[in-house]
Structure formats: structure tokens, C-alpha cells
Amino acid sequence: MPRFSLIVPCHRVQGFLRECLDSVLDQTFRDFEVIAVDDRSPDGSGAILDEYAARDPRVRVLHLPENVGLGRARNAGLPHATGDFLLFLDSDDTLTPGALRAVADRLAETGDPDVLVFDYARTYWWGGTRRNALAEVLSATDAVFTAAEHPEILDLLMVVWNKAYRRDFVTENGFRFPPGYYEDTPWTFPVMLGASRIATLDRICLNYRQRRQGNILSTTSRKHFDVHDQYRRVFEYVDSHPELAGWRPYLHRKMGEHCLDILAKPDRLPPAARGEFFRRTAELYRAWRPEGAALGVLGGSYASYRLRQQAGRLGREGGRQALRVRRAAAARARRALPRPGGALDERLVLYSAASHQGLRGDPAAVYRKAREIAPELRGVWVVKDAEVAAGLPGDVEHVLLDSPQYRRLAARAKFLVNDVNWPGALVKRPGSVHVHTHRGTPLKYLGADLLDRPGARLGLDVPQMLRRADRWDHSLVANRHSELVWERAYPCHFGSARTGSPRNDVLVAGGPTDFRDRYGIPAGHTVVLYAPTRRDYVRGGHVERIDLARFAADLGADHTLVVRLHPALVTGPARGLGLAELHRRGIVVDATGEPDVERVLLAADVLVTDYSSVMFDYANLDRPIVVHADDWAAYTASRGTYLDITAEAPGHVSRSYEDLARLFASGGWRDEESARLRAVFRARFCEFDDGRAAERVVRTLLLGEPMPAAAVRVPEPAAGRDLLAST
């Protein structure tokens, strides 16, 4: 008996079917069967199913004698299922890699509940991906529960394919799909309300394809009237189960919202049928109305409903127009304010970091040092919104971006310190000093070097970026490699300041960190930090290069694997593809959301990265580094790099997961050759990092005081190694 039975109904999906089946058969978890139901498809779907069944015994095909529709095709597959749990997969959707393993592990952890609800992502025909907007519901509790205990579970999209069902539970209750559109509704509500044990899995296990055309529910048809019969079935089920009577008000409201949502969509109903649909919805709404429930818009006529809709549209358009007017006025105000009369405030320093995300990186290190040694300077942080402002320490002065106060201070500040370009509306006043700290030593192409990399500069206006960079006075560098790169990538009017990277001062000093304590990492554990960068050759930037659960297991019980994704991936679907769930289960530690990367670096005994600039910072700790370069050719072709990091690496280079695993199993990651490579790398790329970079910035650039230059580790960088003249 297999663990899972996946029922896959098929009709007119020959263009998507192979991708769907491959996503199942390529799963690392192998204990499953596929019940593929050919719903009398007129295209080549049936032949494709037979082809897969011929080469994989886990696939069984049912060819129905006539087309019965999606719900009854699923029903046809149910008697043939022998697995402990049922999953329903639409044949144009796909499972994500590792999905079945994650589902199996969570089922075992929760003692085989009646239903397990997992996450999904919408994947659009134009290439975009968007995670389920209510994903936080899945992480609300670790325990098994009922719908009554956590009713918010019913706020999720009521579909059949984001759940695993205990087969005995389905059989005992006789759950079946009705004919017609919206067949998920009278299945999902009874299942969820009748389940005594529900569990959740905070992991994206399914890609829900949003097709440009061919989606049944986006087809204009009177078949959308089926929704009324489907809700009638839901209420009949509740009436036959008196213990569920308390759900009637909720279901009544849900029915009205669902039907009005269908009516509001312009592509669902034929224009001539819209009035009839409204009237039938209103009849159903009144027929099943609980005592005391208001009728709302469904208590009036279709004509009054249309007037409300038109008024709403006009109001929204008026609101959008008013917003456009306000934005235009604000833009005019921004252009008018940058050059007020009066002298600059010689003591005012305006700070920003990571696109106004708060105290981070080099600007934060400069700010803290200025407060220590130059208290006469007034430091003010520019933050993007009230949420970021709320996370600042109470004694940190701040302003919101684009507020009147921000504009006044930006016009008066003598010094502006940032690691990302200031907004284009900010005009540089004569005498003001812009200090640009950058965000680490560059490996990948940036600035003007992106002009011949159309994929890497997608959505990026390079000329506008350079116009903003023309405001820089000082460009901080940690090594002469960076100095050469910045002068090439940003052909602007700044001078290079060989200060070192202020944020690396704490790494040079090897200061303390509370990271291990906060995450409960045992004192004797070897902490392996995995910090991959984003990829430009895939939309969204995230590519899973390593099976994290496997890597954590291969490292052994006395190791802790810490994962930090690229900051651009903090939001979006990347962490939902398994990282959040592995963190919850204690298999890895997810440090992606940590605002201060330095704390994470200080806690790590070894860094595993691919092409992230974090390796240049980590080298200051003189701890082992492994470069995992299994897609080096694709990365360099799409992004471009200033040096071949695989030839001039800070440690051993792995070209496959097997290479990486062997390095850790053998101890080679910290052998003498690793130390030799690291010493050469440190001498070159940590050249000006001596632990006093922030002090050097404050004294020389903000206060105008003399201070010794940074101690240079080697006389000159090795000749001919940079690829700065290769294009």
C-alpha cells in the first residue's frame, strides 16, 4: 500500500501534461501511485498518459468512455486509489521539488490527521510567481486542530488541490464531487468542517498555473450558474449534521461573497444572463438566510446593485485621479524645495541604508561611531515607512521618506551617507557632501557594466542610476579591486576613499554576537552558514542549488546549518519553498530576515556560498570558506563577473553537491590548502579593513580631521588577475 495516491484528471491539457507528470515522478519521495484519468480528452492527453504508464509502473490510466467533467473524473479515480492519503492534482499544475517528502514528514509529525493543508503559489503565463496571500494562516499553530478551533483556515482558497486527505476519512464519510463548475465547494467545506484533526504545512508544495486562456472558470458561460447548486449542496450537508448548525451564518456570508465575486468579474457571465444570475443569487441568499442575517445588496434589485457598482467604480476612479493629482503636486513640491535659502547645517548628517530599511550595513556603522566620537553631529535616519520606523531604537532620530520634514532636512544637511542611491528628486546643493558606502566588494557586474547584460538590468534605468551617482563625493573602498570596479562601473565625479568597509570593523575585531543564543544553537556545534546569491537567469532570482535537508543531515548531528538567502528574497515565495518549514522543524536555522548580517557571520565557523559578496566580508574573520559553483557558466553568462572566483577562490571550490559533501565528510574544508587560499584572498580583498574604517570615515570625511591611512596588507594586488579590461 503506497503512502500517497495522486488523482490527476486530464482533459485538453496535452501542452502541460508532461510537465505535470514529471513534477510528480521526479519527486525524491517515491512511495506513491498516480491514478491518471483521461476524461475523454479529444487531444493527445490520453496517449501521453499511456506513454508514461508504459515506462513507470506507479502510473495507472483510466480512459473514460465519455466526458464527465472535472469532479466526476476525480470520483472515477477514487475507487482505484490504495494509498494512505489522497492528493488531487490538476493536470496543468505542478508539484514543487521535494513537496511529497515535506508532506510525508509533516503527516508523520502530526500523527496522520484527517486533512493536511499546504501552501501554493500562483505561476503566471508571463513568468511571474506570487505566493498565497494568506500564507501566514499556515504557520499560526503547530498543533492539530479543528475548523472551529481555528476558523481562519477557511479563509484560504477553498480548493481541493492544496490538501492531503486521509483516505479512510474520505471513504467513511462518503465524500464525493458533484457535477458542474465550482465542484470544489461542496467537497471542501464538508471535508474541513467534518474533520476532527487538521494540520498545516507552511511550505509551497504546488504551483497553481494561471493560464492566459483555457482556464474553465475564466470562460464566459452560463455554467457559472452551477455555483448556486453547489452551495445548496453545502447547506444540505450542514442541515444533515446538526452539530454544524453554528456554521450557517459563516457559510451564508461566504456564499453571498462568492456569488457576487463571480458577478463582478467581466469575463464570467454572458451580459444577457447577469441580471438573472443576480436574481437567482438573491433567491438562494434569502432561502438559506439564518435568523437575523442582513440581506445587504442582495436585498434590493439588480438595477440598484448596478448603480452601486457604477458608483463604486466612479469613486475608485476619482480616488485614483485624486492620488495622481496629489503625487504630481508632491513631485512639484519636491522639485521646488531642494534649494532653499540659508546655509547648510554643518552638523547635520542624513543616513539611509538598504533602500531606507533602517539601521543597517556601513551607514549604521558610521552612525554609531559618529555618536561615540562626534556627539556634536546630529544624525537623522531616512526610513521608508512607519513600520520600519517602529523598529528603530527609541533614541534614533528619523524622518519618513518624501515627508515635508525629510525634504527640509535633505535640503539643509551638510552630509548624506547611504549605501544605495538617494531618490532622483533629491538635488545636491553646493557644499553638501555625499558619502556612498556601497554594499560590499563587487564580484558581479554593476552600473554601466550592465548595459550589455539585458537580463541582469531588467527594469533598471542605468543612465538614471549614473545621474544619481553624479552626486557622490566619496566612494568608500575596502581594497583596490573595488576602487577599480567603482571607477569603471560608475564613471562619475567622486573620489575613492580607501577607508575600508565600516560594517566590517566588528569582523576584524571578532566581536561578540548573540545569534547562537537567540536561535538555541548548542555551544559545541559547528555552525555552517550557507549564503547563496540571487540569479539573473530566472525570474524572481531564486534557484535551489542545494537540498538543504540533505545537506543538514550529511553534516551530522554536531553541526547546525544556518541559511541566509539574498536580501532581495526576504519576501516572496523563496522561503516558502521549504526553508520556513525546515526552520520550524529545527533542521536548519533561517537567518534570511536577520537585519545585521555581521551577527550571523560572527556566529559561523565556516561559510558556504556561491557568488555572494558576503565572502569578501567573511574573509576578515579568517575562517574557512567554500565556494559552491555548480552553475558558474550560467551565472557568468547572464550577469558577468569582474574576476573568476573559481580560479581565485578563498577556499576550496565544489562543482557538484557530491563535491561539497565530500569536503565536509573528509574535513577538507579546513585543511592547509584551504588556509593558504584564504590567506591570499584576504591579503587582496581585505586590504584596507583594519577595524577602524568607521572611525576613519567620521574623522576624515565628516569632521575633516587627519588620520593615518588604513594599513595595507600587501604592496599591490596581484598583477593581471582582475578582468576589468576584458569587455
Side-chain angles (χ1 to χ4, degrees):
M1 179 184 296
R3 186 61 166 160
F4 297 124
S5 294
L6 288 95
I7 297 176
V8 185
C10 307
H11 186 76
R12 294 184 183 273
V13 287
Q14 63 180 10
F16 307 106
L17 185 53
R18 293 182 186 276
E19 185 180 1
C20 171
L21 294 174
D22 289 343
S23 77
V24 177
L25 300 178
D26 291 344
Q27 292 283 313
T28 56
F29 185 87
R30 313 289 293 173
D31 188 17
F32 62 83
E33 63 181 2
V34 176
I35 313 298
V37 183
D38 172 18
D39 188 17
R40 197 63 175 176
S41 185
D43 61 5
S45 297
I48 293 172
L49 294 178
D50 290 338
E51 172 194 331
Y52 274 77
R55 68 172 187 248
D56 195 317
R58 294 173 298 174
V59 180
R60 286 187 288 159
V61 182
L62 301 178
H63 294 284
L64 301 184
E66 61 180 356
N67 176 248
V68 297
L70 182 58
R72 287 190 286 184
R74 289 172 179 155
N75 290 341
L78 280 171
H80 300 272
T82 62
D84 298 328
F85 280 83
L86 302 170
L87 289 95
F88 298 93
L89 178 63
D90 288 354
S91 46
D92 56 353
D93 295 338
T94 57
L95 296 182
T96 60
L100 292 185
R101 167 55 64 189
V103 171
D105 289 346
R106 182 61 173 152
L107 289 172
E109 181 183 17
T110 53
D112 284 6
D114 296 331
V115 182
L116 174 70
V117 186
F118 48 78
D119 203 6
Y120 65 92
R122 297 175 188 265
T123 56
Y124 294 87
W125 60 269
W126 43 265
T129 300
R130 182 166 62 87
R131 190 179 186 183
N132 163 30
L134 296 176
E136 68 275 3
V137 171
L138 299 173
S139 58
T141 179
D142 236 5
V144 174
F145 58 90
T146 64
E149 292 167 334
H150 288 283
E152 62 272 14
I153 196 67
L154 299 181
D155 292 333
L156 295 173
L157 190 62
M158 282 289 101
V159 289
V160 66
W161 39 254
N162 66 342
K163 303 171 183 71
Y165 310 87
R166 188 167 57 83
R167 185 167 62 89
D168 288 346
F169 166 68
V170 171
T171 302
E172 290 162 5
N173 287 274
F175 294 125
R176 289 295 183 271
F177 293 93
Y181 281 16
Y182 305 101
E183 76 292 333
D184 286 8
T185 299
W187 165 283
T188 307
F189 278 119
V191 164
M192 295 298 288
L193 297 180
S196 59
R197 302 181 71 249
I198 301 171
T200 57
L201 172 61
D202 182 17
R203 185 193 193 279
I204 297 172
C205 294
L206 182 137
N207 289 320
Y208 176 29
R209 189 187 300 273
Q210 306 295 289
R211 292 160 65 175
R212 186 170 183 267
Q213 60 180 8
N215 187 326
I216 292 176
L217 292 185
S218 294
T219 303
T220 302
S221 167
R222 286 186 60 88
K223 290 289 290 179
H224 293 283
F225 280 80
D226 290 350
V227 72
H228 300 131
D229 287 336
Q230 308 298 22
Y231 272 102
R232 189 173 287 108
R233 292 183 175 100
V234 172
F235 280 102
E236 288 171 352
Y237 177 84
V238 170
D239 283 352
S240 66
H241 293 76
E243 71 277 9
L244 301 179
W247 286 102
R248 284 182 60 105
Y250 171 85
L251 294 171
H252 183 256
R253 183 176 68 254
K254 202 75 171 177
M255 174 183 66
E257 292 171 353
H258 192 174
C259 292
L260 289 176
D261 182 63
I262 294 169
L263 184 60
K265 286 184 166 56
D267 59 347
R268 298 291 173 91
L269 294 160
R274 299 174 68 82
E276 181 186 353
F277 184 90
F278 178 88
R279 289 188 292 273
R280 288 181 57 176
T281 297
E283 291 170 4
L284 187 69
Y285 200 66
R286 286 192 293 270
W288 295 100
R289 182 174 62 155
E291 185 177 351
L295 289 172
V297 297
L298 288 169
S301 66
Y302 178 57
S304 63
Y305 165 78
R306 289 189 64 188
L307 287 174
R308 284 173 180 254
Q309 292 296 100
Q310 291 168 1
R313 280 194 295 271
L314 290 172
R316 288 191 294 273
E317 179 55 36
R320 285 192 290 268
Q321 179 62 28
L323 180 60
R324 286 193 289 268
V325 171
R326 288 197 299 271
R327 285 176 173 171
R332 289 193 297 271
R334 287 196 294 270
R335 288 193 294 269
L337 283 175
R339 297 182 182 273
L344 293 170
D345 186 338
E346 299 288 329
R347 299 185 304 110
L348 179 58
V349 187
L350 213 59
Y351 294 92
S352 182
S355 299
H356 319 298
Q357 293 284 348
L359 272 74
R360 300 192 181 185
D362 291 307
V366 173
Y367 168 78
R368 294 186 180 105
K369 183 57 67 173
R371 293 188 66 171
E372 176 188 336
I373 66 175
E376 68 274 19
L377 295 176
R378 177 191 174 194
V380 181
W381 279 85
V382 179
V383 295
K384 70 172 187 174
D385 54 33
E387 182 180 354
V388 174
L392 297 175
D395 61 344
V396 173
E397 187 178 356
H398 66 273
V399 292
L400 298 184
L401 181 67
D402 280 341
S403 65
Q405 187 180 9
Y406 156 74
R407 295 194 291 272
R408 285 194 294 271
L409 292 179
R412 294 177 49 237
K414 171 71 174 182
F415 303 100
L416 296 97
V417 181
N418 201 344
D419 62 1
V420 179
N421 263 323
W422 291 97
L426 190 151
V427 177
K428 187 177 190 298
R429 289 190 66 190
S432 65
V433 177
H434 284 233
V435 178
H436 194 76
T437 70
H438 301 284
R439 302 178 76 181
T441 292
L443 171 62
K444 56 187 175 241
Y445 277 7
L446 296 163
D449 289 324
L450 292 175
L451 287 172
D452 66 344
R453 304 281 168 167
R457 64 180 177 87
L458 180 65
L460 180 65
D461 185 342
V462 174
Q464 171 66 9
M465 177 199 301
L466 297 181
R467 286 192 291 272
R468 296 182 183 186
D470 279 330
R471 296 174 298 196
W472 303 351
D473 293 287
H474 303 289
S475 166
L476 306 191
V477 299
N479 47 67
R480 275 172 279 192
H481 163 81
S482 296
E483 187 173 327
L484 291 172
V485 168
W486 300 140
E487 290 178 4
R488 163 181 160 152
Y490 300 100
C492 302
H493 308 293
F494 58 82
S496 293
R498 295 181 172 183
T499 58
S501 293
R503 73 173 185 270
N504 287 345
D505 289 347
V506 66
L507 302 181
V508 175
T513 177
D514 61 350
F515 181 84
R516 289 187 182 228
D517 290 339
R518 284 191 291 114
Y519 286 93
I521 299 173
H525 271 212
T526 298
V527 173
V528 180
L529 171 61
Y530 175 51
T533 193
R534 70 186 305 278
R535 293 336 194 244
D536 296 291
Y537 59 76
V538 294
R539 189 183 291 271
H542 179 62
V543 178
E544 287 191 345
R545 309 304 311 176
I546 292 176
D547 183 333
L548 298 177
R550 179 183 177 187
F551 189 31
D554 288 345
L555 287 173
D558 57 348
H559 289 62
T560 294
L561 178 60
V562 176
V563 180
R564 182 180 175 86
L565 301 182
H566 189 277
L569 303 175
V570 171
T571 58
R575 296 166 81 181
L577 287 168
L579 180 55
E581 174 64 8
L582 292 176
H583 176 85
R584 184 196 65 79
R585 292 166 54 194
I587 294 174
V588 305
V589 171
D590 177 12
T592 304
E594 282 287 316
D596 297 319
V597 67
E598 297 80 20
R599 294 184 180 184
V600 186
L601 298 181
L602 284 165
D605 297 299
V606 54
L607 170 68
V608 178
T609 187
D610 36 40
Y611 324 117
S612 172
S613 65
V614 75
M615 73 176 80
F616 298 98
D617 303 324
Y618 190 76
N620 281 286
L621 289 167
D622 197 18
R623 299 175 190 172
I625 301 172
V626 175
V627 175
H628 185 59
D630 65 334
D631 65 341
W632 175 244
Y635 185 83
T636 54
S638 61
R639 181 62 189 240
T641 59
Y642 293 111
L643 64 141
D644 184 349
I645 199 63
T646 65
E648 304 173 67
H652 289 295
V653 177
S654 58
R655 300 282 187 171
S656 66
Y657 178 76
E658 289 69 28
D659 287 348
L660 182 64
R662 275 194 296 270
L663 277 173
F664 280 90
S666 66
W669 60 276
R670 54 182 173 185
D671 62 11
E672 291 183 5
E673 177 64 5
S674 170
R676 185 191 70 79
L677 293 169
R678 187 168 69 254
V680 174
F681 190 86
R682 290 183 68 237
R684 183 179 178 195
F685 295 110
C686 304
E687 192 178 5
F688 304 137
D689 281 338
D690 62 356
R692 301 183 69 186
E695 180 186 1
R696 192 169 290 110
V697 172
V698 174
R699 292 195 185 281
T700 63
L701 303 185
L702 303 187
L703 298 178
E705 299 176 356
M707 181 174 173
V712 180
R713 302 192 184 206
V714 292
E716 292 291 339
R721 290 187 177 178
D722 284 294
L723 303 181
L724 299 183
S726 65
T727 61

